[in-house]
């Protein structure tokens, strides 16, 4: 894979603002877990518009790169990117089918998630199937840092390591919040990097809102014998300065009067 | 290798077949280790992984102790297998009331009530390993399947069931008193009736191993010549086959006298053998002789 060009970096940055704006529009009609969407949306943009080989033509194939949004409540971010990648249509994005968690009938949703702590084990299953059948494709799973409260995630870390799933990329969307408060106040993860390294897993850290940094780190990934764990430092509600990195506005109701104002101040 | 192991070993040459376990090899002792994906004692991840493999097109045979496979991992089963119709075979070991001296923490006598109402799931309690393999040879992975693994092998029963095999059918007897049972209970009753010409005239024993195939047609067929019905099973009363039958009969206005014996109606009974347990629960030759339904 080639390094992303400067012009493409600019395009992705523009798309990032446009897609955030569309997620706010979605929120105006249906409400959303806006805070969770805006912390991982840049990573999803990078994955679908650059890294993963998923497009309108191959989306129905079962042997392509695959993506699982384990923190399923960020689904509007996934839907918005699928729309941008021409995999789903605008009408569908604003329809009742695209509710708050990924719906299995929608093209590009590789697995229905929502209950936290499930997605990584599904991804391990995908990766194992590819490994056994020698299918040379990536499996990417995004988990939330709050989701790390679930013991099943840690089970899957162990299994992925033991099975040498080098085709598996686990991205932790580390926005330092879970539903109602900071992760450190609810269930402190401590030194996350150290914890994961103690599982004998490779850890890569990056800025989850910098396409340049994301690209620099992804360029170095190889399908060797090691699953990759990426800690993406992100911010809840990134791009809306008034509510960014604050515990409020994890969930935003469709009647929220400030939504138009959020849209205007997007950066 | 036993029958199930031979079956698995044979089909596992196909790269789409995956044998998984959460560190339980009761049904897999002779399968070479390299053919088994052992996730360790991680039942939730076991089901998640199997769901992922199934979604990609693999066929998984998933093994663990029944209680942990069904109850510990239930949410994963419901959402990732059943709701999304990713089909796998789950093989639960040591289900039913025979948990030796493990005690109640290891006993699983509620699988029908837990899995029997899922939409894309079949629940199967075979008479023996022989029946299990006969059934699996026809299984097509269109729905998930839970099997309460039963390692017994009964040559007499083999003869009875192997001709034109189907899971829910008459086993023995021509009496007007119908007995419906499954698994080790059906085998035990078969053994009792087989030795007594009087009881064979009094009772007709049906195997109902594919629990989820219960419907008006199947039950009507069994009750055609019957006037009285006795259901014997090792399962909690609540949500059991007998309870499902009662609801079905009531809903369809089928009037028949029914008695149910739910042998596992307590968490644990530390008896070691089936004979001891049957005596303990009062299911004996004398009981069947004297029973007035």
């Amino acid at each position: 894979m080639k390094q992303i060009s400067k012009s493409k970096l600019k395009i992705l940055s523009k798309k990032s603002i446009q897609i955030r704006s569309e997620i706010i529009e979605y929120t105006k009609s249906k409400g959303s877990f806006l805070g969770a969407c805006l912390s991982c949306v840049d990573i999803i943009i990078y994955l679908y518009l650059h890294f993963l080989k998923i497009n309108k033509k191959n989306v129905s194939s079962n042997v392509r790169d695959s993506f699982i949004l384990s923190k399923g409540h960020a689904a509007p971010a996934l839907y918005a990117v699928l729309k941008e990648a021409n995999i789903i249509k605008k009408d569908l994005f604003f329809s009742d089918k695209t509710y708050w968690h990924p719906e299995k009938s929608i093209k590009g949703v590789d697995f229905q998630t929502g209950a936290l702590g499930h997605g990584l084990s599904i991804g391990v299953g995908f990766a194992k199937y590819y490994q056994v059948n020698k299918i040379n494709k990536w499996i990417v799973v995004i988990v939330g840092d709050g989701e790390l409260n679930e013991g099943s995630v840690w089970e899957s870390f162990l299994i992925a390591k033991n099975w040498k799933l080098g085709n598996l990329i686990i991205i932790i969307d580390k926005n330092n919040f879970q539903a109602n408060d900071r992760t450190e106040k609810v269930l402190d993860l401590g030194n996350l990097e150290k914890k994961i390294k103690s599982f004998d897993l490779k850890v890569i850290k990056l800025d989850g809102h910098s396409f340049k940094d994301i690209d620099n780190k992804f360029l170095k990934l190889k399908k060797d014998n090691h699953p990759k764990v990426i800690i993406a430092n992100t911010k809840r509600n990134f791009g809306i300065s008034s509510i960014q990195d604050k515990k409020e506005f994890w969930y935003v109701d469709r009647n929220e009067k400030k939504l138009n104002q959020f849209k205007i101040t997007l950066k | 290798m036993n029958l199930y192991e031979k079956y698995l070993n044979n089909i596992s040459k196909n790269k789409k077949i995956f044998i998984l376990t959460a560190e339980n090899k009761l049904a897999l002792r002779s399968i070479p280790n390299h053919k088994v994906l052992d996730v360790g004692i991680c039942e939730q991840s076991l089901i998640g992984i199997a769901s992922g493999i199934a979604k990609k097109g693999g066929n998984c045979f998933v093994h663990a102790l029944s209680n942990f496979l069904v109850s510990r991992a239930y949410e994963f089963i419901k959402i990732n297998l059943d709701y999304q119709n990713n089909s796998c075979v789950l093989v639960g070991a040591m289900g039913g009331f025979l948990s030796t001296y493990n005690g109640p923490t290891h006993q699983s006598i509620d699988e029908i009530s837990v899995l029997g109402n899922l939409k894309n799931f079949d629940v199967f309690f075979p008479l023996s390993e022989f029946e299990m393999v006969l059934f699996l040879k026809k299984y097509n992975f269109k729905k998930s399947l839970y099997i309460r693994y039963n390692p017994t092998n009964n040559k007499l029963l083999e003869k009875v069931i192997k001709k034109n095999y189907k899971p829910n059918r008459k086993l023995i007897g021509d009496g007007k008193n119908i007995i419906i049972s499954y698994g080790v209970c059906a085998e035990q009753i078969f053994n009792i009736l087989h030795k007594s010409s009087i009881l064979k005239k009094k009772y007709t024993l049906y195997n109902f191993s594919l629990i989820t195939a219960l419907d008006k047609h199947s039950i009507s067929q069994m009750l055609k010549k019957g006037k009285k019905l006795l259901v014997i099973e090792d399962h909690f009363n609540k949500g059991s086959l007998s309870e499902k039958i009662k609801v079905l009969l009531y809903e369809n206005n089928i009037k028949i006298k029914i008695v149910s014996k739910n042998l596992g109606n307590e968490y644990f009974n530390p008896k070691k053998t089936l004979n001891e347990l049957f005596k303990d629960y009062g299911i004996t030759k004398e009981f069947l002789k004297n029973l007035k339904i």
Side-chain angles (χ1 to χ4, degrees), chain A residues 72-85:
Chain A
H73 54 288
L78 173 61
Y79 295 143
V81 176
L82 289 175
K83 184 182 74 60
E84 192 57 35

Side-chain angles (χ1 to χ4, degrees), chain B residues 96-211:
Chain B
F97 59 7
L98 275 181
S99 70
T100 63
Y101 278 111
N102 276 307
T105 55
H106 284 55
Q107 201 144 20
S108 182
I109 38 180
D110 55 359
E111 300 107 302
I112 300 173
S113 54
V114 177
L115 299 176
N117 292 323
L118 295 178
K119 204 176 159 191
N120 295 306
F121 239 87
D122 273 329
V123 174
F124 180 56
F125 291 5
L127 290 162
S128 61
E129 206 164 44
F130 185 74
E131 188 188 9
M132 178 180 173
V133 173
L134 281 180
F135 186 82
L136 283 173
K137 282 180 179 170
K138 291 185 177 179
Y139 171 69
N140 58 14
F141 277 91
K142 281 190 178 166
K143 290 168 95 177
S144 281
L145 175 68
Y146 169 76
I147 301 174
R148 186 192 269 182
Y149 178 61
N150 175 5
T152 61
N153 284 298
N154 182 321
K155 293 289 171 192
L156 272 173
L157 264 175
E158 277 183 24
K159 276 185 189 170
V160 173
I161 63 173
K162 75 178 173 190
K163 200 176 175 186
N164 300 323
Y165 171 71
K166 59 177 187 174
N168 298 344
R169 57 175 284 179
K170 178 181 153 181
L171 291 179
I172 195 167
D174 283 308
K176 288 187 176 176
N177 300 299
I178 308 299
I179 301 176
I180 291 179
S181 191
Y182 52 73
V184 292
C185 289
E187 188 206 354
Q188 189 75 1
I189 295 158
F190 176 85
N191 289 337
I192 294 173
L193 298 192
H194 184 259
K195 291 173 191 163
S196 166
S197 53
I198 297 169
L199 289 179
K200 270 189 276 191
K201 281 180 192 166
K202 186 176 179 183
Y203 294 101
T204 304
L205 171 64
Y206 283 91
N207 176 32
F208 211 100
S209 48
L210 188 60
I211 312 293

Side-chain angles (χ1 to χ4, degrees), chain A residues 188-240:
Chain A
D188 193 358
L189 293 166
N191 186 332
L192 184 58
E193 184 182 0
K194 205 173 162 186
K195 274 196 174 71
I196 294 171
K197 277 184 174 168
S198 78
F199 279 59
D200 250 350
L201 285 159
K202 278 192 174 178
V203 178
I204 300 147
K205 288 171 91 172
L206 54 78
D207 176 348
H209 299 300
S210 160
F211 290 113
K212 197 176 177 185
D213 195 32
I214 298 171
D215 188 54
N216 280 337
K217 304 290 164 51
F218 269 73
L219 269 175
K220 292 171 190 161
L221 300 181
K222 286 177 187 165
K223 293 195 193 83
D224 49 21
N225 287 329
H226 305 279
K228 289 88 188 154
V229 181
I230 293 173
I231 298 176
N233 289 307
T234 60
K235 286 181 175 151
R236 174 178 272 189
N237 278 315
F238 180 77
I240 308 171

Side-chain angles (χ1 to χ4, degrees), chain B residues 53-104:
Chain B
I53 291 173
K55 179 76 178 174
K56 283 293 173 191
N59 293 333
C60 297
F61 290 80
V62 184
H63 304 79
L65 287 181
S66 290
N67 192 38
F68 312 129
L69 182 62
V70 172
S71 301
R72 174 80 62 93
Y74 181 67
E75 191 205 9
F76 279 66
I77 290 174
K78 188 175 73 171
I79 294 174
N80 304 321
L81 291 181
D82 188 61
Y83 175 65
Q84 306 195 48
N85 203 7
N86 294 309
S87 302
C88 292
V89 175
L90 309 185
V91 181
M94 285 202 341
F97 59 7
L98 275 181
S99 70
T100 63
Y101 278 111
N102 276 307

